[in-house]
Amino acid sequence: MDPSATPAPAVPRQLPPVPGHFINRRHELVELDRLTGASQHGPVIAVISGPAGVGKTTLARRWLLGRAESFPDGQLYADLRGHFADGPARPGELLAELLRSFGHRHIPAELNEQAALWRSVTADAKRIALLLDNALSAAQVRPLLPGSAAALTVVTSRNRMTGLGLEGAVFLPLDVLGTRDAVELLSRRVGADRVRREPEAALAMARACAGLPLAVCVAGARAAARPRQPLAVLARALSTAGEGPLDALRVGGDSAVRAALHESYRLLEPRLAVAYRRLSLLPVPVFTPPVAAAVCGVGPAAVDRLLDELVEAHLLEDLGPDPDTALARYRFHDLLRAHARELAAEEESAEDLDRAVRRVVDFHLSAATAAEALLTPSHRTLRRDYATEPIPPPFHDAPGALRWLDAERAHLMAVLRTAAERQWHAAVWQLADALWPVCLRLRPYDLWIEAHETGLAAARLDGDRDGISRMLTSGGTGLRNVGRYDEAASWFRQALDAAREDIARLVPHEGRVPKELTAARRAEAQALHGLGQTHRLAGRLDEARAYFHQALTRREEIGYRRGAALTRLSLGDTALAAGRPDEAVPHLVRARADLLAEDDPYDAARALAFLGRAHALRDGTLHTTADGRLRQALAEFERAGSVHWQGRVLEMLGEGAEERGDLERARDFYEQSLARYRPVSEQDRRRLSQRLRHLP
């Protein structure tokens, strides 16, 4: 086995564990086996529908986990948040998460391309199970369906989802628990001895809960917390709850759940009641202890105790640790979140709620900024404004920062949208700016473009010229990388015009050069460089060369050595694309030396790779020199963990071998390159596959 080969991603096993209180449902489990076993051709789709709190998700998890051996290629989970207070999940975010489960890091920006890639990834007879939880409609589900005929998709929804019948779905409506099963579930929560001592009270509690497992569990947890209190007291309370300020709360029409929640909440200690209300304000469906600490305004030790006690009261679900960050994860059932939000609106002032949400925004801004400083320190130059004192980030080094950003990227985007809705303009563009390491390292193009479009609007409303310039250049880079060249050029030209306006305004008198003028000239050079890159990718090489020369002049004038080196690297790349390796070599040699001096090993390795390719094109007889440089670049990219550039260098080695007529060696390099591209770039994967097919 090639020791440098990229390890395959782990088989995804994402289904949350089944709660220990799962009871019976034997008939439904058998029926699911029967319904799905009857379909012998094509992918299987099973829809489990029923009222909120009836146990649809628990049943689906129990059934799928019991059949894990049937799905050796993975069991995946996506929460569609059909009844989430801030709206259902966006299909693009869900597809991106599913694609990342199979190792794909460079996700297309457009929804139809994401869906097509998802179908392609799952088309090779992959035996996977996918749980699409809490769906709102068939239209929300369709883009997420796998392409494999061997796949099983389970959808849970409050709605019957009959529209999925067109896709051949089978349907299982889920009813409430029978009285005997409800009493058995209650006994597991409060203890069989208490139920035996008060059988009539236990029966009354089960009936008051209307057979809804969620209501039984909440009521049982409340009774378990008070072992000396007779069950008859709670049974009477459940029968009369709802006569008061919470009576107007109609969460899905489930009065049984409302009654159980009313009693559980009424008896919470004040600190737990505050935490219960505040946690419902979070704009994310799943949260970790640092996020909970931020919204509750408490420290790490205190928040751990709060979360443990809310889980014990069955008001939160513990999802276990995140596989990447090892942080614990929690979530509300959507009915409990709606209940807690109703209470927050009734019992807290608008100012207190606003401060709680702002602490969440400031935590994410502070943590993302700390990650930016570790991962892209040259980019960490713009101001940060905090309305509250942020808590420390949950990582300590660059690898930990990247893992956190990867795990939290969708949540960071949700927080950015929340800040935009509340018109916290500075926080919006600053958070978009802090997401640069996510954009640069992980390439989530949909997030990249949306964040900077939203950030640009916010920076303009904030009136911050540096923020506007950064949004235009960073956002223009995202537009350029997805092939939207005209839009990208427009963004870079806006940045260029703004920088030149600043330069004209700041031209020094009597020889003085203010710092603002240097910054404006640096922004001008950045816009020129961006225009050059846009024209280079669009194949307009003469225009690219002209913009790069202008950028190089400006960067040398202000003494920005790293920027000048990057522009020389781009000039070398452009010369290679034009078939002029002799012109490329001096640019690349200088770029390599300066980037090493600036402690930028990643970009220095890029310069070395292009230099190796230039030597191969300049004199094919000296292929050992070219191959030596390319192999050294490959080793440097392996140390840096850049899978995409490993593929690029291996492709360059294959090109050199093919040009020398060594087709066997070329094929070997192309196959190694394809293995690197496969998990990170669908576009490159297709191109290399085609290249291999046409190799003589």
Side-chain angles (χ1 to χ4, degrees), residues 156-204:
T156 70
S157 177
R158 297 186 196 178
N159 305 319
R160 293 186 64 86
M161 308 290 282
T162 53
L164 289 177
L166 297 173
E167 278 74 28
V170 296
F171 300 91
L172 177 68
L174 192 59
D175 204 351
V176 297
L177 291 175
T179 303
R180 179 180 297 179
D181 287 336
V183 172
E184 172 63 22
L185 179 56
L186 180 65
S187 72
R188 294 192 183 187
R189 299 297 298 170
V190 305
D193 289 343
R194 290 180 75 182
V195 170
R196 279 195 293 268
R197 286 196 302 268
E198 297 184 75
E200 292 184 1
L203 183 62

Side-chain angles (χ1 to χ4, degrees), residues 535-555:
H535 286 291
R536 162 68 185 90
L537 288 180
R540 299 187 285 264
L541 301 184
D542 290 339
E543 292 93 333
R545 189 180 300 107
Y547 279 118
F548 283 138
H549 278 297
Q550 291 181 64
L552 181 60
T553 299
R554 300 297 187 276
R555 286 175 163 176

Side-chain angles (χ1 to χ4, degrees), residues 547-575:
Y547 279 118
F548 283 138
H549 278 297
Q550 291 181 64
L552 181 60
T553 299
R554 300 297 187 276
R555 286 175 163 176
E556 289 181 326
E557 286 173 352
I558 61 175
Y560 182 21
R561 185 163 72 164
R562 178 176 175 274
L566 291 173
T567 301
R568 286 193 177 91
L569 191 158
S570 296
L571 279 167
D573 173 38
T574 304

Side-chain angles (χ1 to χ4, degrees), residues 16-17 61 307-308 311 316-321 327-331:
R61 281 149 55 175
L307 293 171
D308 286 345
V311 169
L316 280 182
E317 183 180 4
D318 184 350
L319 298 179
L327 292 170
R329 298 171 299 160
Y330 301 86
R331 72 171 179 181

Side-chain angles (χ1 to χ4, degrees), residues 212-391:
L212 287 166
L214 177 61
V216 175
C217 288
V218 171
R222 177 248 181 262
R226 284 162 176 77
R228 294 185 179 86
Q229 186 180 64
L231 294 181
V233 174
L234 183 54
R236 286 193 297 272
L238 288 172
S239 299
T240 59
E243 300 173 358
L246 291 180
D247 190 45
L249 178 63
R250 299 285 181 181
V251 279
D254 297 310
S255 59
V257 176
R258 188 172 75 252
L261 292 178
H262 176 84
E263 281 305 300
S264 290
Y265 175 76
R266 188 174 63 83
L267 296 172
L268 287 177
E269 295 178 24
R271 62 189 181 85
L272 285 174
V274 170
Y276 178 64
R277 298 193 301 265
R278 297 278 175 87
L279 288 167
S280 72
L281 305 175
L282 292 171
V284 297
V286 176
F287 52 89
T288 59
V291 178
V295 76
C296 294
V298 299
V303 83
D304 286 341
R305 289 193 296 272
L306 290 172
L307 293 171
D308 286 345
E309 291 180 62
L310 288 172
V311 169
E312 186 64 26
H314 209 79
L315 296 175
L316 280 182
E317 183 180 4
D318 184 350
L319 298 179
D322 183 275
D324 295 317
T325 65
L327 292 170
R329 298 171 299 160
Y330 301 86
R331 72 171 179 181
F332 276 113
H333 188 285
D334 52 1
L335 287 183
L336 274 67
R337 183 187 295 106
H339 175 257
R341 279 202 174 189
E342 179 82 6
L343 293 171
E346 290 178 359
E347 300 186 19
E348 303 209 33
S349 69
E351 292 77 13
D352 285 343
L353 298 181
D354 204 54
R355 275 195 296 273
V357 176
R358 186 56 196 253
R359 285 196 299 268
V360 175
V361 172
D362 284 350
F363 163 71
H364 285 87
L365 175 59
S366 173
T369 298
E372 178 191 25
L374 286 168
L375 295 164
T376 53
S378 64
H379 190 268
R380 175 67 196 97
T381 58
L382 300 187
R383 78 172 210 262
R384 294 290 184 263
D385 302 318
Y386 300 107
T388 62
E389 183 66 30
I391 64 176

Side-chain angles (χ1 to χ4, degrees), residues 445-464:
Y445 289 120
D446 51 348
L447 179 153
W448 186 339
I449 293 168
E450 182 190 351
H452 286 83
E453 287 175 339
T454 308
L456 176 59
R460 284 173 168 156
L461 289 168
D462 192 40
D464 190 283

